[in-house]
């Protein structure tokens, strides 16, 4: 049955160096995803599997699959500014956060929606402010606030292109608030919708 497949490049920018990775992903529905790193050679074959709110990493060097425990969800994914939580969160925003429309946003222009963590939600963010643009009603800017209410990072979704009749932000940038000269940029190289993705891909045995 149908899913989405993509080729991506991720650049992790640090004051002293920039690290580049190429990867492929397969997704199905809101809750299944497989990400495989193709380069650099030392990371090639490393894979991340997500099923629901569960996450596993396959490490080819030791030929082992390791589950990412809930306590590690806010940790860095593969040394980037993306968290493990970013990979699983999409499907549970509604469950973990209460949303309210705040009103218009000027910069960037659009509508501001505030997500506030429910008291029993496990995770780091106390709230997330999201600006949806007028043209496509897509999130274009997200501000993440930590448990003390401080701005922790900003995520920008840019370069929207219509692919297969769907608007897709081709570039995602994550900027940590308290780390000077640091950011992660994820760029789509290619993306395919309604692709035949085999259900068995999203299993530990396949990983």
């Amino acid at each position: 049955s149908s899913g989405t497949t993509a080729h991506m490049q991720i650049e992790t920018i640090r004051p002293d160096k920039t690290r580049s990775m190429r990867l492929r992903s397969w997704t199905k529905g809101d809750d299944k995803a497989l990400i495989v790193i193709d380069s650099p050679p030392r990371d090639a074959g490393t894979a991340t599997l997500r099923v629901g709110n569960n996450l596993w990493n396959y490490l080819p060097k030791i030929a082992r699959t390791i589950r990412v425990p809930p306590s590690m969800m806010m940790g860095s994914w593969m040394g980037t500014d993306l968290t493990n939580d970013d990979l699983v969160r999409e499907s549970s925003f509604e469950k973990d956060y209460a949303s309210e429309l705040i009103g218009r946003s000027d910069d960037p222009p659009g509508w501001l929606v505030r997500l506030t963590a429910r008291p029993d939600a496990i995770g780091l963010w106390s709230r997330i402010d999201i600006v949806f643009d007028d043209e496509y009603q897509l999130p274009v800017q997200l501000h993440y606030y930590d448990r003390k209410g401080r701005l922790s990072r900003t995520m920008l979704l840019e370069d929207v292109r219509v692919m297969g009749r769907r608007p897709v932000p081709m570039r995602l940038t994550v900027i940590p608030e308290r780390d000077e000269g640091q950011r992660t940029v994820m760029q789509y190289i290619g993306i395919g919708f309604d692709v035949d993705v085999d259900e068995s891909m999203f299993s530990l045995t396949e990983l």
Side-chain angles (χ1 to χ4, degrees):
S1 60
S2 72
T4 302
T5 178
H7 274 85
M8 291 162 279
Q9 176 162 318
I10 293 183
E11 294 202 316
T12 306
I13 297 151
R14 298 292 179 259
D16 53 344
K17 64 173 190 236
T18 295
R19 190 167 140 257
S20 190
M21 281 193 296
R22 287 226 169 187
L23 44 137
R24 286 170 293 155
S25 75
W26 295 263
T27 56
K28 196 166 188 175
D30 281 340
D31 63 344
K32 292 191 179 85
L34 175 66
I35 299 164
V36 178
I37 295 174
D38 289 331
S39 70
R42 66 191 171 94
D43 292 323
T46 302
T48 298
L49 172 69
R50 169 199 164 196
V51 178
N53 283 337
N54 296 303
L55 206 61
W56 295 269
N57 287 324
Y58 172 73
L59 307 173
K61 281 197 181 87
I62 56 172
R64 281 190 59 199
T65 302
I66 296 165
R67 181 165 184 257
V68 179
S71 60
M72 291 291 293
M73 275 300 171
M74 300 316 298
S76 161
W77 180 76
M78 292 300 298
T80 69
D81 295 303
L82 293 161
T83 64
N84 290 308
D85 181 76
D86 287 326
L87 302 185
V88 304
R89 179 55 56 193
E90 261 169 68
S91 65
S92 56
F93 263 151
E94 290 163 31
K95 195 172 85 228
D96 294 337
Y97 293 88
S99 65
E100 63 173 319
L101 177 65
I102 301 297
R104 290 293 297 170
S105 160
D106 293 329
D107 184 22
W111 290 95
L112 175 63
V113 172
R114 175 161 297 160
L115 302 183
T116 306
R118 298 186 193 279
D120 54 349
I122 299 168
L124 184 78
W125 315 119
S126 59
R127 83 170 208 254
I128 306 169
D129 285 353
I130 308 175
V131 177
F132 290 85
D133 75 339
D134 290 321
E135 190 174 358
Y136 297 114
Q137 282 81 56
L138 282 176
V140 289
Q141 184 186 74
L142 296 89
H143 287 307
Y144 292 80
Y145 293 83
D146 65 17
R147 287 294 184 184
K148 292 183 175 161
R150 300 171 302 188
L151 179 61
S152 185
R153 66 175 194 173
T154 298
M155 188 183 284
L156 306 172
L157 294 100
E158 301 164 308
D159 188 17
V160 175
R161 297 186 206 168
V162 177
M163 310 187 73
R165 298 193 299 279
R166 303 170 208 216
V168 180
M170 299 297 284
R171 186 173 62 250
L172 180 150
T173 305
V174 180
I175 306 157
E177 194 59 32
R178 290 184 280 280
D179 300 296
E180 197 67 38
Q182 184 169 321
R183 67 186 190 279
T184 294
V185 181
M186 187 180 94
Q187 185 92 34
Y188 281 107
I189 299 162
I191 189 163
F193 295 107
D194 305 317
V195 179
D196 195 24
V197 177
D198 193 339
E199 191 77 36
S200 69
M201 289 186 77
F202 307 104
S203 67
L204 286 176
T205 47
E206 285 292 309
L207 191 63

